[in-house]
Amino acid sequence: MPHRTIELHVDRDSVAMGDDVVPHAGVLSVPRGTLLSAALELASPEIRSPGWSWVAVVDGATTAVWSVDHGVQLLVADRKLTRGPVDVFFRYFVQIDPAWLFDRLAHDVRADRRALEEEYAPIAREKYRAELRRRERELDGRFLSTECVDALRHFGAAITLHADVACDFTHDGDAWSVRRADTMFQVFRGGGGPIASIRPHALGEAWLVGMLGASARTAAGRADLPNVEPLAGLELTASGGRWMSRGATVVQVRSELAARVAQLAYGRSVAEVRALLVA
């Protein structure tokens, strides 16, 4: 007599390092004759964050895009499951827009995550910038204090965007971006990753002012930083081209100058750092 149920052997990618601790593989049973779409919805990942995309691979074949936004979007004709077990693996396609991803895969583009990430990257940047512009228009909060912005402008910065979670400006031909990343104050200059990750926020602001002030001093033919003793409490260790601190105060910077600026800024307000640099 045929089995009345079919086993689904389900697994998924991990989404972060801590997610690796618990295995994700499991077995589900569905009634024979269950539609593939319904089975995939039942087996879908428990991580349900809007905007996250998953590609469902069924018995080795790319079969659907799943997201909490749109549910199961089949890339094949729906069918009743009549034989098992069925292997289902959900591949994590990060925060690629699920509708965009489905459209690309539906046009027979290979499910190559790296290639699709690269293709989607400029779209993601534009969407993120549009969201920042919306926040700048509609929300009253600003990421940097008025005192910090005034100091940046004093040292030649031109603010191009300022919202509650981000600030962009240009200085001496370079594009700078400052972002909130959880509890971290992150600074970017040009392309690539952050040139600084700092906590607390107040130290990040003082460091940022210090960096522009050092640049202004150099342009004026002066020493980049004044001959001032750093305040006690911040120790930085150089390792692999980075300078890092330990403890509650976090400083991770990528240049020797950035490290010296952090030591100057530590324990000092934006106004104090500005005054030292213009003296």
Side-chain angles (χ1 to χ4, degrees):
M1 185 174 180
H3 292 293
R4 295 182 179 180
T5 60
I6 292 176
E7 286 188 349
L8 307 179
H9 293 179
V10 183
D11 202 353
R12 68 168 174 83
D13 281 335
S14 295
V15 300
M17 288 181 63
D19 192 31
D20 291 330
V21 176
V22 179
H24 312 303
V27 177
L28 296 175
S29 293
V30 296
R32 182 176 296 277
T34 297
L35 287 173
L36 173 62
S37 57
L40 290 177
E41 188 62 52
L42 181 65
S44 59
E46 75 281 9
I47 298 177
R48 296 177 174 266
S49 296
W52 288 23
S53 293
W54 300 82
V55 170
V57 179
V58 178
D59 290 335
T62 299
T63 299
V65 173
W66 181 86
S67 66
V68 69
D69 310 72
H70 306 292
V72 174
Q73 296 176 288
L74 285 176
L75 296 161
V76 300
D78 209 355
R79 66 179 189 273
K80 292 182 178 181
L81 299 180
T82 57
R83 296 182 180 180
V86 177
D87 290 326
V88 179
F89 191 90
F90 285 92
R91 297 179 60 202
Y92 178 47
F93 269 61
V94 294
Q95 296 180 41
I96 297 176
D97 178 75
W100 181 90
L101 178 61
F102 174 76
D103 181 70
R104 297 300 290 132
L105 297 182
H107 284 84
D108 296 325
V109 173
R110 184 168 168 265
D112 182 326
R113 186 172 71 180
R114 179 169 294 182
L116 287 165
E117 277 188 285
E118 290 178 358
E119 184 180 349
Y120 185 68
I123 300 171
R125 286 194 294 269
E126 186 57 36
K127 290 178 69 173
Y128 178 61
R129 191 161 185 82
E131 171 61 11
L132 289 179
R133 288 295 185 195
R134 182 196 68 79
R135 298 178 77 96
E136 184 181 43
R137 289 192 309 270
E138 299 178 6
L139 302 179
D140 293 332
R142 293 294 179 259
F143 185 50
L144 300 180
S145 66
T146 300
E147 191 173 52
C148 179
V149 171
D150 286 346
L152 296 178
R153 284 178 169 149
H154 174 82
F155 290 125
I159 307 299
T160 57
L161 178 148
H162 197 188
D164 60 322
V165 294
C167 182
D168 294 344
F169 60 89
T170 58
H171 181 263
D172 196 24
D174 289 332
W176 291 66
S177 298
V178 192
R179 299 285 185 265
R180 176 183 295 140
D182 294 326
T183 61
M184 300 300 291
F185 182 102
Q186 290 195 326
V187 183
F188 302 79
R189 182 173 59 198
I195 63 169
S197 295
I198 297 173
R199 186 177 64 223
H201 182 99
L203 176 57
E205 288 196 356
W207 178 88
L208 189 61
V209 169
M211 288 295 290
L212 267 62
S215 177
R217 287 171 63 95
T218 300
R222 304 175 66 191
D224 51 18
L225 295 179
N227 187 20
V228 177
E229 285 293 321
L231 301 178
L234 179 66
E235 294 185 8
L236 297 177
T237 302
S239 175
R242 297 190 179 200
W243 282 255
M244 296 174 287
S245 66
R246 294 182 179 179
T249 297
V250 177
V251 174
Q252 299 174 357
V253 293
R254 291 189 174 183
S255 73
E256 186 266 341
L257 172 61
R260 289 193 291 117
V261 170
Q263 290 174 321
L264 175 71
Y266 179 76
R268 294 185 168 102
S269 67
V270 164
E272 290 170 327
V273 171
R274 177 177 175 175
L276 287 173
L277 291 167
V278 299

